[in-house]
Amino acid sequence: MTWSKTSASRQQGFSLIELMISLALGLAISTAVIQVLLSSHSTERLNRALASVQENGRFIISRLRNDILMAGRYDPMLPALNKDLDVIVEGAFVQNNPVPVVGDFAAAPAKGSIEGAGANSDTLMLALQASKDCRGFKLGYLAAEEFFVVNEYFLEGTTLKCRGFDGRVLQGQKAAEDNDGDTAYTLLDGVHSFQVVYGITDNSAAQDNSALPVKFINGTNLGAEKLAGSQVVAIRIAILLKADANVLISPMPAFKLVDEDPVTPSESRLFKQFETTITLRNSKNFIRSRNI
């Protein structure tokens, strides 16, 4: 049996040009698939980072809100309140100073709400009646007792912390009974900035008992406004958090937290700003009661 020329021609393979076109198409398709996979991976990392920082933000705002809402609370008629000292005088101090400033405490004159220098973070202090401090400590009181608590919130490095004090110890009325002393507890890591401003009422000369904030001020002016008879009835907090994941952001945006100048983090990572305003209901009720 012999092969014809026509049969032989049909057995020819691909030409060089056809092979080059096939390789080029295959390379283009492979590159597109790899790009899609890389993009999908980057999107997944970004979504995880956003979810993480969002969860942290919701947690810390909720935690601080719950604590701040109780500022200025004091009920001298409550049976659980420790009455070793004059609770009427003590109640007047707490209700008039829900946000203590430097100089308010006789035995600890340096303690109080402080405005951080420049872009540094602020320190917030709250006075209230409670069964334990922000760390969960009883500070030497009985399990069923409530007492004069002073909680302090501050930023150490990139860690937001709190510590609690017995208000009577700060006033020099008794000795500290808690072995943990000034030990600070961590509330949240990855905090780049913690800023606070205070909503105050008109001063006493205005005879305004509406308990409405007329303006917001920073900690620098808080002491002078309190001396003039103004009262803190609201607190606005702003927090800048960094996501846990190493997600690069370029260009890096600037963030403006309450009354501070805009800041741009030095790291090209994912940051998110959280801000809220909390009304001090105990302080507002105290001011309104002056109308009675």
Side-chain angles (χ1 to χ4, degrees):
M1 181 177 179
T2 59
W3 294 90
S4 65
K5 292 182 177 180
T6 302
S7 299
S9 64
R10 291 175 180 173
Q11 300 301 314
Q12 292 178 354
F14 294 106
S15 67
L16 181 60
I17 294 177
E18 290 173 327
L19 288 173
M20 292 179 65
I21 292 174
S22 299
L23 290 173
L25 289 174
L27 181 61
I29 294 172
S30 298
T31 301
V33 170
I34 292 172
Q35 290 295 329
V36 170
L37 291 175
L38 291 175
S39 177
S40 177
H41 179 64
S42 298
T43 301
E44 182 184 4
R45 288 175 56 200
L46 178 60
N47 289 336
R48 286 202 306 267
L50 284 170
S52 173
V53 73
Q54 190 72 29
E55 182 179 356
N56 288 339
R58 284 197 299 265
F59 160 74
I60 197 60
I61 290 295
S62 176
R63 168 62 195 271
L64 292 175
R65 175 182 290 275
N66 290 337
D67 290 357
I68 292 172
L69 278 173
M70 301 307 294
R73 172 185 178 259
Y74 199 94
D75 183 2
M77 304 302 294
L78 193 70
L81 176 63
N82 179 282
K83 297 181 174 64
D84 291 344
L85 299 177
D86 188 336
V87 295
I88 301 301
V89 173
E90 185 172 82
F93 177 87
V94 173
Q95 291 169 336
N96 282 287
N97 301 280
V99 182
V101 297
V102 172
D104 279 347
F105 299 114
K111 290 292 183 184
S113 297
I114 301 171
E115 177 73 12
N120 293 335
S121 293
D122 300 336
T123 296
L124 172 65
M125 262 193 155
L126 305 174
L128 64 148
Q129 173 187 327
S131 60
K132 54 189 177 182
D133 68 12
C134 63
R135 304 166 297 176
F137 292 169
K138 293 293 297 183
L139 302 181
Y141 290 90
L142 299 178
E145 283 187 318
E146 293 193 356
F147 57 100
F148 175 17
V149 175
V150 179
N151 290 325
E152 181 182 36
Y153 304 85
F154 61 98
L155 195 63
E156 187 175 277
T158 58
T159 302
L160 184 63
K161 295 185 174 183
C162 80
R163 57 183 159 219
F165 304 90
D166 182 346
R168 295 174 180 179
V169 173
L170 296 182
Q171 291 283 49
Q173 297 169 318
K174 60 173 291 190
E177 299 180 24
D178 183 68
N179 294 329
D180 291 288
D182 292 350
T183 301
Y185 270 30
T186 295
L187 297 179
L188 186 66
D189 292 317
V191 181
H192 184 78
S193 183
F194 173 60
Q195 303 295 337
V196 186
V197 291
Y198 308 90
I200 61 170
T201 60
D202 272 334
N203 59 43
S204 55
Q207 296 295 311
D208 180 9
N209 292 345
S210 66
L212 297 175
V214 295
K215 61 181 177 180
F216 280 84
I217 62 173
N218 60 31
T220 301
N221 304 313
L222 186 56
E225 290 288 351
K226 287 179 62 178
L227 285 175
S230 297
Q231 178 70 289
V232 178
V233 291
I235 294 177
R236 181 175 295 159
I237 56 174
I239 299 177
L240 185 61
L241 302 182
K242 185 180 77 169
D244 296 334
N246 291 327
V247 177
L248 296 178
I249 302 296
S250 182
M252 195 64 198
F255 297 89
K256 180 172 176 57
L257 278 69
V258 289
D259 63 332
E260 299 294 328
D261 293 332
V263 296
T264 301
S266 58
E267 296 181 81
S268 298
R269 305 294 183 183
L270 176 63
F271 286 82
K272 188 171 178 59
Q273 177 179 339
F274 296 86
E275 187 172 321
T276 188
T277 301
I278 303 103
T279 299
L280 305 188
R281 55 192 180 192
N282 297 296
S283 295
K284 295 189 73 170
N285 291 336
F286 172 66
I287 294 173
R288 287 167 178 164
S289 68
R290 296 172 181 172
N291 290 322
I292 300 175

